[in-house]
Amino acid sequence: MIAKVIVDVAAYPIDRPFDYIVPVAMESIIEPGIRVKVPFGNRKVLGYVTGIKNETDIAIDKLKSIDELIDLDPVISSELLDLSRWLAVQTLSYEIDALQVMLPAAMRAKYEKYIDVVDQEKVVDEEFLNLLKGRKRVPLKEADTASLLKVIKNYTSEKIITVDTIVRQQTAIKKVRMIRIEEAPKLHVILESLHSNAKKQFELIQWMIQREGQTFTSKSLLEQSGISPATLKSVIERGAAFEEYVESYREPEAPGMKDVAIPVDLTEEQVVALGHISSSVKSGVAETFLLHGVTGSGKTEIYLRAIKEVLEKGQEAIVLVPEIALTPQMTSRFKARFGPLVAVMHSALSAGEKYDEWRKIQRGEVKVVVGARSAIFAPFKNVGIIILDEEHEATYKQEDTPRYHARDVAIKRAEYYGCPVILGSATPSLESYARASKGVYTLLTLMNRARNQALPAVEIVDMREELRLGNRSMFSLDLAEAIRKRIDSGEQIILFLNRRGFSAFVLCRDCGTVVECPNCDISLTYHRASERLKCHYCGHEEIVPLKCPECTSEHIRFFGTGTQKVEEEITKLFPTARVLRMDVDTTRQKGAHERLLRQFSEGKADILLGTQMIAKGLDFPNITLVGVLAADTTLHLSDFRAAEKTFQLMTQVSGRAGRHELPGEVFIQTYTPEHYAIQLAKEQHYEPFYKHEMAARRQFGYPPFYFVTLVQFSHEDLLKVADFAEKGTRFLKDNLSIDTQIIGPTAAAVSRVNNRYRYQCLLKYKKEPMLTETLQQLIKLYRTKWIKSGLIMTVEVEPMSI
DNA sequence: AGCACGCCGACT
DNA sequence: GTCGGCGTGCTC
């Protein structure tokens, strides 16, 4: 019997199955999806069995045998095995990367090498003997000097010692030590044999006789008997009890918030939308729905009811939410509705906790998973529905290999199971809406809010005008007035600062020098908490200079607006206001996110001030005012999605106000009030925005009219990167059709990051039959030749930004 | 990716 | 003369 194995080595010539002999003892157990330890070259690696066969073309003398099985049951189902192959092709990545991304990080292999002494007599080297200290097995990494490694090499070739590789999972699986007590007759025998001064052991065995045959966790046994661990150990050695280790789950912190929306009657729109989804669930035919509903229209309630139907059919549900929206508020609604049937997967869980959740899914102990992007690979075996909430979010696209989009994977999995995919959003991506318009997806619309509240009144404030009136503060007069009113009446406020591309930088007022990162072509960002300047690209940090590094002037200070600075100004303007600041700095700590939100929901603050992370999903009855401090900051990014992102953000954040009884009000401050993205966000008019933006995309040849692929090059040497970028672009031009636009090579927007110069080449095409093949050839060229010269090249099909 | 094999300069 | 530098080539 021969097994086809994909080995855990990400390299170009290795990216294919290797054949191994299956030892007879393994034949009845082995099947595709099981992991194995195999010899590869002169080392041992982990591999995934992808197929079983009886013949091979490989010469017999070349074939090796599988060393051992890592799993007894497949960890990758046949469905996911096929999906990984598809994923590798789609994203132009190694098959091993596509496989690994499907499993929790804790299951990734870790390699440890040990020296085993075979012939003790012949070990004479003093340094080596010193390393052994009498042991017969020593971790190889303890040998850290060159001379020792040399001795090891010699001893290995003389077969005095061998080097053994242990393949194991990264994080130990949490196990609980269980103690099973023997039967009474045996205990009596042991009791007799005890020495008279072993009083504690005598006591423990008598205690055990009362509980013969029972099993305890070692912890509870020690507590209940009041005996020390040392005594227990001796008693176990005498054979009075067995130890066994049982895999146990960690219990992730229980969310503290209740389901705020008790099941209510559905609106007519909701009934219609749910009806379409239900009939798809029943039909067993894959169908993709775009659920377009204004903020507060009750999309989540539709998800919950659709999932209920799926569970009643005996099937499972996958719910994806953007990481940032994976708040306790969101997950607790699912937990409240489906209780212990829900597994939650988010980045705040430890590697071990993620593994536990994964196991619960795999064992079929849960039926619903709510999670971020990677939860799309949940190891369910009978998926009945897949939901992507806020489907337009860029976080659904993975930034490193395999660069997959969760939406594409969802649709692929749904095809296999013949089940519906629900893409939900108040502001769908243009791609999805275009597909819905063309009938590729089924469009479901919710025009009204579930509790029939009016959408909040949105006012656009022209900050240029404020400036003209002499108001140099970051709060317009109207917004300041509205804030004051809310503080007085005890209502709550959300202030949103879209900091991206608009962070606090340090500028010399005499010579105009901006302090830049020494490794990247970008200005450094001022961080108040640490009083340091940081680079957001490479992580470089330095102290804030007191003098200008160029002209030594002392007139150097920071400009721009960060949340910390806004917080200061709020305290100055509204001394009585209680402010909670939520950004990367205040939420880094585990659980900080939840704590801040809980404080806010309990009314312990008047103002919640934050960045992107407060724009989504929050639902608090007392919020009646939302202020956007500077709406334009996303607008000026050099990206084709800039307007779309701005519109989405404005709509999302506005939707936080007035979701319950109290009416909401929104102020959007901007320096470009005439821009269509801002004007149309005012009324949450998606349709006109869509039409306007589509016209722009058509004109400039961007998605969804054209597909794009981005090829990026980086190198320490500017001349070399320009040269390779030119070569790569030429290769693409020579091999792709004439209708494909090939733009570049051009220097990237941030032309140097971490001391590497960056170039890129952009492909735009409607139909390019040669695309995959040409890109594969380009990658081959890179991986076999160019990579040696220090070039790094990445290819991203359909990037989220360029 | 690793790791060994293999061919040329500086040391006991 | 050997030790060791890292260029080249292979992994079922």
Side-chain angles (χ1 to χ4, degrees), chain A residues 172 434 452:
Chain A
N452 234 338

Side-chain angles (χ1 to χ4, degrees), chain A residues 90 185 282 478:
Chain A
Q90 290 294 308
K282 288 190 192 97
D478 287 351

